[in-house]
Amino acid sequence: MDVELKHETKLVKIIKGMKAIVITQYGTPEALQLQDKPDPAIRPDEVLIDVKAAGVNRPDIFQRKGNYSAPPGVVPDIPGLEVSGIIRECGSDVKKWKIGDRVCALIAGGGYAEKVVVCADHCLPVPASLSFVEAASLPETVYTVWDNVFRRGGLKEGEHFLVHGGSSGIGVTSIQLAKSIGAKVYATAGSDEKCKACLDLGANVCINYNVYDFDKVFAEEKIDVILDMVGGPYFQKNMSIMNEDGRLVYINAMKGSSVELNIGEMMRKRINITGSTLRSRDKRFKTALTEEVLINVWPKIDSGHFKPVIFKEFLLKDAWQAHKLMEDGNHIGKIVLRTE
Ligand SMILES: NC(=O)c1ccc[n+]([C@@H]2O[C@H](COP(=O)([O-])OP(=O)(O)OC[C@H]3O[C@@H](n4cnc5c(N)ncnc54)[C@H](OP(=O)(O)O)[C@@H]3O)[C@@H](O)[C@H]2O)c1
């Protein structure tokens, strides 16, 4: 609905409502359809963002299929966990941002839209060197990697770090950040082309798991921290290559979440097995993580030690094609939607 207001001599046009991608039914990518939606309502501690770009993440696919519901209080049928754009409105309690600021933000849903409301404390400035598309590709993966590799995993300079799915959005982020602190980086990926991309991003070693068994190739490497999204069949192999006091961190279990643990092996090596999901965490946790990312990761963008890896951009209306591309599994890095 358009409302026209006469403002002295100027004609001001206020656009009410927005376009958004809606999950019309659980299932195939074609279920993602562009629809008219009302503007999201803003709370005192939130900002309303005119979205320029929205990152696509694997959890969006799980949500579209009906396997990953939005947490309570979050718009249930519009996917999207990260956006970039320009602040259009600030809630009454917001002090740190003003209308017109360029930000990117972590959100728990609703990002595939022209407008979104976000807790002001979960926004970060768009780095000067980055486009909106590049900035939109960062929050979900950077926060996840910072929390799991550096906070939970406690990765330190000189340690050996292995990431499975090295060419994924999560993979390309963790390779670069682990390398930037002086860790030795190992990765696995599903093709030689993906392995080359991991090496180009700074991995010391990357193996094509369709050709080699990673537990045999890395048997003597004494891995200190593993970031795993595969689960099931990788569990025992991961355990076998871990160093003493190693940390095995899960962010998904795409190939199965039930495993058999040899408690003796865990005790002998003093292995810490942990994991987390980001989306359902509370406001305070995400605020603290935002502050850590701003201090620890954002300077690495300015210094050139960390860069977004964009595989392909789509217009918002073509979100279904973006999902199709992600499900085909041949991408390297991130897929991003643009609103214009
Ligand atoms: N816990 C959290 O808070 C959190 C947050 C964000 C993401 N995640 C998880 O992190 C993972 C990566 O996310 P992303 O957004 O970076 O996704 P992505 O770019 O699509 O990466 C997924 C990777 O998994 C591999 N893969 C694809 N299909 C697979 C299948 N059917 N079985 C096994 N492996 C498959 C692919 O690598 P290969 O071709 O090399 O196998 C691909 O690079 C996802 O599992 C996602 O759910 C967790």
Side-chain angles (χ1 to χ4, degrees), residues 58 140 168-170 190 194 209 251-252 255 276 278 331:
R58 180 70 49 168
E140 174 70 10
S168 65
I170 292 285
K194 288 181 174 184
Y209 65 79
I251 55 168
N252 201 350
K255 292 270 167 96
S276 72
L278 176 62
H331 63 288

Side-chain angles (χ1 to χ4, degrees), residues 261-273:
L261 169 67
N262 181 332
I263 293 173
E265 183 181 22
M266 181 192 72
M267 289 164 61
R268 271 192 303 281
K269 288 189 177 177
R270 302 178 300 281
I271 293 173
N272 188 349
I273 303 168

Side-chain angles (χ1 to χ4, degrees), residues 50-67:
D50 272 332
V51 176
K52 296 289 182 190
V56 176
N57 292 280
R58 180 70 49 168
D60 305 344
I61 301 214
F62 300 138
Q63 181 174 356
R64 193 203 73 221
K65 289 181 170 174
N67 302 323

Side-chain angles (χ1 to χ4, degrees), residues 165-307:
S167 66
S168 65
I170 292 285
V172 300
T173 304
S174 57
I175 288 171
Q176 293 184 79
L177 293 182
K179 187 75 183 176
S180 75
I181 66 145
K184 182 167 182 185
V185 179
Y186 302 76
T188 66
S191 72
D192 291 347
E193 189 194 357
K194 288 181 174 184
C195 286
K196 182 176 179 313
C198 294
L199 295 172
D200 290 346
L201 285 168
N204 298 82
V205 190
C206 184
I207 64 152
N208 179 346
Y209 65 79
N210 285 312
V211 178
Y212 302 102
D213 290 328
F214 76 85
D215 55 323
K216 296 204 172 69
V217 179
F218 299 151
E220 305 300 325
E221 297 299 323
K222 296 191 183 303
I223 307 292
D224 297 292
V225 178
I226 299 180
L227 184 66
D228 190 23
M229 56 188 78
V230 178
Y234 276 19
F235 177 72
Q236 193 45 54
K237 296 177 179 186
N238 284 334
M239 292 291 283
S240 74
I241 60 170
M242 294 223 75
N243 199 0
E244 291 180 358
D245 294 307
R247 287 85 75 194
L248 175 52
V249 189
Y250 284 96
I251 55 168
N252 201 350
M254 288 196 287
K255 292 270 167 96
S257 49
S258 294
V259 296
E260 196 171 298
L261 169 67
N262 181 332
I263 293 173
E265 183 181 22
M266 181 192 72
M267 289 164 61
R268 271 192 303 281
K269 288 189 177 177
R270 302 178 300 281
I271 293 173
N272 188 349
I273 303 168
T274 181
S276 72
T277 59
L278 176 62
R279 190 181 194 184
S280 57
R281 300 303 297 270
D282 66 22
K283 217 181 250 190
R284 217 165 59 163
F285 175 86
K286 290 178 182 172
T287 298
L289 206 49
T290 305
E291 285 162 7
E292 285 190 30
V293 164
L294 183 63
I295 291 168
N296 295 293
V297 180
W298 251 225
K300 293 180 191 293
I301 298 172
D302 294 335
S303 67
H305 289 98
F306 174 57
K307 59 174 192 210

